[in-house]
Amino acid sequence: MINILLTGASGFFGKTISSTLASNGYRIFGLPNAIGQHRIDISKPFALNLNQLTQIVIHAAGKAHSVPKTNRDKQAFYEVNYEGTKNLCHALEGLDRLPRSFIFISSVAVYGLDGGQNINENNSLKGTTPYAESKIMAESWLAEWAVKNSIKLSIVRLPLIAGPNPPGNLGAMIDGIKSGKYLSIGQADARKSVVWAEDIARIIPSLAEKGGIYNLTDGYHPTFGELEESISNALGKRKPIKVPYWLAKGLAKTGDIIGRFPINSEKLQKITSTLTFDDSKARKALDWNPTPVLSKIAEMV
């Protein structure tokens, strides 16, 4: 039986990885269990206590889904996403034997783009937010560490992750439509890349064998309008009220001035701009055959 050490096992994505792989015969160790504690702060050095040989490590733990308001908030991203990755690797070095494969869960945020179509893995990493920068730094450090220790490294750059009760922007959209407080802006025709969480879990074995850097998406890239309509139908709600773009732009400018406001110009730009990523590399190398997220909306809400 193959043993897998999984960080972030108690999170939304980690739970999906754990349940999917366990049902396929893999033995999963969550990080707290591996050190004999209930919780672990990876931003600080720690030691691992594993009696069983660990062949694969999946590093899904990290800080995300929050907007830093202070310098301390910003620093937390680097401490968790970058220093936490280094601390995990140093802990692995303390084992009798290193794992053969390391899979790092990264983000398309590393590209630093608000708009664009079919962006592939060769694009420059220009992310400037604390979240993006911390992921870029972790990717770079891992690349050197893996070569030094002869470990097969896989990096997956993920867009919006969909699954039952998702966090982040998808979760906010569902909550907004459920409560009747969600507004659809303009034509709602901007396309965004999304990916079904369980699909990612299913290709972990291929990632462990092949290694490499991959964008993973559902290949369809639904529009905001399609997501809004599908979620509304699944919830038995009316379609969200539409707000003309000119009005949304005015509200966004108000948000720029006031600060604490549901929308500002930066957020409006993201909502109304198409941003999609090319996953053809994964399709060729990993036999990636993802599920269209729109077909899973009922399971998501």
Side-chain angles (χ1 to χ4, degrees):
M1 181 175 287
I2 294 177
N3 298 320
I4 296 177
L5 176 64
L6 170 65
T7 72
S10 62
F12 158 75
F13 185 42
K15 287 178 180 176
T16 300
I17 294 175
S18 183
S19 61
T20 301
L21 291 177
S23 66
N24 282 281
Y26 292 86
R27 183 184 287 116
I28 311 297
F29 296 94
L31 186 57
N33 304 111
I35 62 172
Q37 296 181 15
H38 294 295
R39 296 182 64 85
I40 174 64
D41 180 1
I42 64 171
S43 68
K44 298 178 175 59
F46 61 91
L48 288 167
N49 181 24
L50 288 171
N51 296 322
Q52 309 239 0
L53 172 65
T54 299
Q55 293 96 335
I56 301 171
V57 172
I58 305 172
H59 185 26
K63 182 172 176 59
H65 307 307
S66 65
V67 178
K69 295 181 175 61
T70 65
N71 288 333
R72 184 69 193 89
D73 291 343
K74 293 177 182 178
Q75 186 60 29
F77 282 93
Y78 299 97
E79 291 175 355
V80 175
N81 296 340
Y82 176 53
E83 295 296 338
T85 298
K86 291 168 62 179
N87 289 335
L88 170 62
C89 292
H90 292 323
L92 291 171
E93 291 170 359
L95 298 176
D96 292 336
R97 186 174 173 183
L98 284 166
R100 59 179 171 82
S101 299
F102 190 106
I103 299 169
F104 180 59
I105 307 301
S106 190
S107 165
V108 294
V110 298
Y111 298 114
L113 299 172
D114 290 332
Q117 297 184 56
N118 296 321
I119 296 152
N120 65 34
E121 295 86 350
N122 294 322
N123 269 63
S124 300
L125 307 187
K126 299 179 179 178
T128 57
T129 65
Y131 175 63
E133 282 190 338
S134 62
K135 286 290 189 180
I136 292 170
M137 292 166 67
E139 283 193 18
S140 178
W141 190 89
L142 278 170
E144 293 185 13
W145 179 80
V147 169
K148 177 184 174 182
N149 292 283
S150 300
I151 293 172
K152 188 153 288 186
L153 174 65
S154 298
I155 295 173
V156 289
R157 295 173 179 160
L158 305 180
L160 293 172
I161 305 176
N165 302 308
N169 291 332
L170 273 178
M173 180 184 284
I174 293 169
D175 290 342
I177 292 174
K178 192 179 294 185
S179 65
K181 296 178 181 179
Y182 182 90
L183 299 176
S184 180
I185 296 174
Q187 298 299 313
D189 56 358
R191 291 188 176 275
K192 300 292 183 183
S193 289
V194 292
V195 65
W196 188 246
E198 195 172 328
D199 286 344
I200 304 166
R202 288 198 185 102
I203 64 157
I204 291 295
S206 295
L207 282 167
E209 291 299 323
K210 298 289 182 66
I213 300 173
Y214 305 95
N215 296 333
L216 298 180
T217 81
D218 79 340
Y220 177 70
H221 321 292
T223 66
F224 264 92
E226 289 174 319
L227 286 169
E228 292 163 359
E229 182 175 1
S230 296
I231 291 170
S232 297
N233 290 339
L235 291 171
K237 299 284 186 179
R238 292 182 179 179
K239 293 181 184 178
I241 296 172
K242 284 193 170 292
V243 175
Y245 179 78
W246 62 265
L247 178 56
K249 191 172 182 180
L251 292 171
K253 288 182 177 178
T254 302
D256 295 340
I257 298 170
I258 295 176
R260 292 187 177 181
F261 203 66
I263 193 168
N264 56 34
S265 294
E266 182 181 358
K267 187 177 289 187
L268 179 63
Q269 175 68 23
K270 290 181 178 179
I271 291 172
T272 56
S273 298
T274 287
L275 182 58
T276 62
F277 298 88
D278 179 13
D279 64 1
S280 59
K281 181 181 176 182
R283 289 175 184 269
K284 293 175 183 176
L286 306 174
D287 196 25
W288 173 245
N289 185 26
T291 307
V293 168
L294 288 180
S295 70
K296 304 290 248 177
I297 294 296
E299 295 179 40
M300 195 166 74
V301 301

